[in-house]
Amino acid sequence: MEPEAGAGGARASRSTRQKRALASVMAESRRFRSAQEIHEALVGRGESIGLTTVYNQLRALAEAGLVDTLRAPDGEILYRKCESNSHHHHVRCRSCGRTVEVKGVAVERWAERVAARAGFVDVDHTVEVVGTCAQCAGRHFASA
Amino acid sequence: MEPEAGAGGARASRSTRQKRALASVMAESRRFRSAQEIHEALVGRGESIGLTTVYNQLRALAEAGLVDTLRAPDGEILYRKCESNSHHHHVRCRSCGRTVEVKGVAVERWAERVAARAGFVDVDHTVEVVGTCAQCAGRHFASA
DNA sequence: CGCTTATTGAAAATCATTGCCAACAGCTTA
DNA sequence: TAAGCTGTTGGCAATGATTTTCAATAAGCG
Ligand SMILES: [Mn+2]
Ligand SMILES: [Mn+2]
Ligand SMILES: [Zn+2]
Ligand SMILES: [Zn+2]
């Protein structure tokens, strides 16, 4: 019989110039950026790629867990390719966006505990820490 | 001299039928709801109030810290009048929205610690726990 | 080289939220 | 109680990120 017989055999993903360019740009930034910013970065680098494609691919990458996402205060979705593939959290600079990944054994346990205490199951959580990074804080002092 | 002399004396807020109705509806729900849902609740209760007004007031209440807000996965802003006025976090049911408030001394410290370790100052954080509440979990078993 | 179909991307559609602003209505003062 | 000042209301248009549409394009395979 044929490989993947039956209904809905997952079709192979194709390698395209656009996907490669996007992956490249995502790999080089340590910041969370919006789809528009990422598209600008691509164009600025001389790549030809549609904004719609950037949106589509970023969504696909996010669903596949290959990029992390978070909501900016204004609601925009920001994307980032993290170094770690396992569960982690972020400490992000509200000024420049620089982000560092951190493990959170303490919060993992805390989340489980308070949820269980409230009678909740199938628990999940969102934890984001935001502040001003050393570099941005220093810049402030310099100009003040 | 006149009261509040000089520029920009904060004018008094007025008590209106709409504000009172909104406050009433917010006080009776223990769930996070969107502006649209809250508007529907008001209309369903026989109140006459515009959707724009609901949006405006909810935003004002949120800025004043009188209601809590959070982003639904799809980006919608959800509002809720919490019992506690001090800093706290939420354990929310992804199915029915029921929410319980919890203190998080452990996470407060954790957030400060990891941020400081990364050289960040003026630290802030977002922590939301989501799961399935006992009632919704039971309902599942019953129908399965 | 052809064929199948995943992918692209311009343009239109969605939709929550905000801006606009003239009509309206609390409150204060005379 | 009446007039005036101004905070408030809310229909409607505008905004803007994200999604949908879908015809043209181009991977990858035999
Ligand atoms: Mn965690
Ligand atoms: Mn906290
Ligand atoms: Zn910074
Ligand atoms: Zn529930």
Side-chain angles (χ1 to χ4, degrees):
Chain A
M1 62 176 78
E2 302 169 358
E4 294 301 335
R11 305 299 172 182
S13 168
R14 294 177 186 173
S15 172
T16 67
R17 172 174 55 75
Q18 292 89 333
K19 284 184 185 177
R20 265 173 272 130
L22 178 58
S24 170
V25 166
M26 291 306 286
E28 287 171 22
S29 177
R30 221 158 315 302
R31 316 193 314 104
F32 270 92
R33 293 179 295 175
S34 69
Q36 315 235 14
E37 287 178 314
I38 293 168
H39 178 248
E40 281 174 30
L42 254 354
V43 172
R45 166 184 296 211
E47 289 293 337
S48 168
I49 181 173
L51 178 57
T52 301
T53 299
V54 173
Y55 268 109
N56 287 337
Q57 287 308 324
L58 283 174
R59 177 153 44 78
L61 289 172
E63 280 172 9
L66 298 176
V67 300
D68 281 20
T69 67
L70 79 79
R71 292 269 174 186
D74 69 354
E76 268 190 332
I77 303 177
L78 305 183
Y79 305 84
R80 178 181 194 251
K81 170 73 186 64
C82 285
E83 323 248 323
S84 167
N85 306 303
S86 56
H87 180 75
H88 62 274
H89 299 287
H90 307 109
V91 179
R92 192 163 58 93
C93 177
R94 65 168 62 81
S95 173
C96 71
R98 180 178 294 104
T99 300
V100 303
E101 297 165 40
V102 296
K103 284 288 181 183
V105 191
V107 270
E108 313 301 337
R109 279 203 285 261
W110 174 84
E112 278 299 335
R113 179 166 10 107
V114 297
R117 186 173 304 170
F120 284 60
V121 296
D122 195 10
V123 183
D124 203 345
H125 63 265
T126 303
V127 175
E128 294 292 337
V129 180
V130 58
T132 304
C133 77
Q135 197 158 119
C136 287
R139 200 167 298 160
H140 259 284
F141 283 124
S143 62
Chain B
M1 63 176 81
E2 301 170 359
E4 294 301 336
R11 304 298 171 181
S13 170
R14 295 177 186 171
S15 172
T16 66
R17 172 174 54 75
Q18 293 89 335
K19 284 185 184 177
R20 266 172 272 129
L22 178 58
S24 170
V25 165
M26 291 306 285
E28 287 171 21
S29 177
R30 222 160 316 303
R31 316 193 314 105
F32 271 93
R33 293 178 295 177
S34 69
Q36 316 235 12
E37 287 177 313
I38 293 168
H39 179 249
E40 281 174 30
L42 284 164
V43 173
R45 165 183 298 210
E47 289 293 337
S48 168
I49 181 173
L51 178 58
T52 300
T53 298
V54 173
Y55 268 109
N56 286 337
Q57 287 308 324
L58 284 174
R59 178 152 44 77
L61 289 172
E63 281 172 8
L66 298 176
V67 300
D68 280 21
T69 66
L70 79 79
R71 291 268 174 188
D74 69 353
E76 268 189 332
I77 302 177
L78 304 183
Y79 306 82
R80 177 180 194 253
K81 170 76 186 61
C82 286
E83 322 248 323
S84 167
N85 306 303
S86 57
H87 180 75
H88 62 273
H89 298 287
H90 308 109
V91 180
R92 191 164 58 93
C93 176
R94 65 167 65 80
S95 174
C96 71
R98 180 178 294 105
T99 300
V100 303
E101 297 164 40
V102 296
K103 284 288 180 183
V105 192
V107 269
E108 312 301 338
R109 280 202 284 261
W110 174 84
E112 279 298 336
R113 179 164 12 105
V114 297
R117 186 173 301 169
F120 284 61
V121 296
D122 196 10
V123 183
D124 203 345
H125 62 266
T126 304
V127 175
E128 293 293 336
V129 180
V130 59
T132 303
C133 76
Q135 197 158 119
C136 287
R139 198 166 300 160
H140 259 285
F141 283 124
S143 62

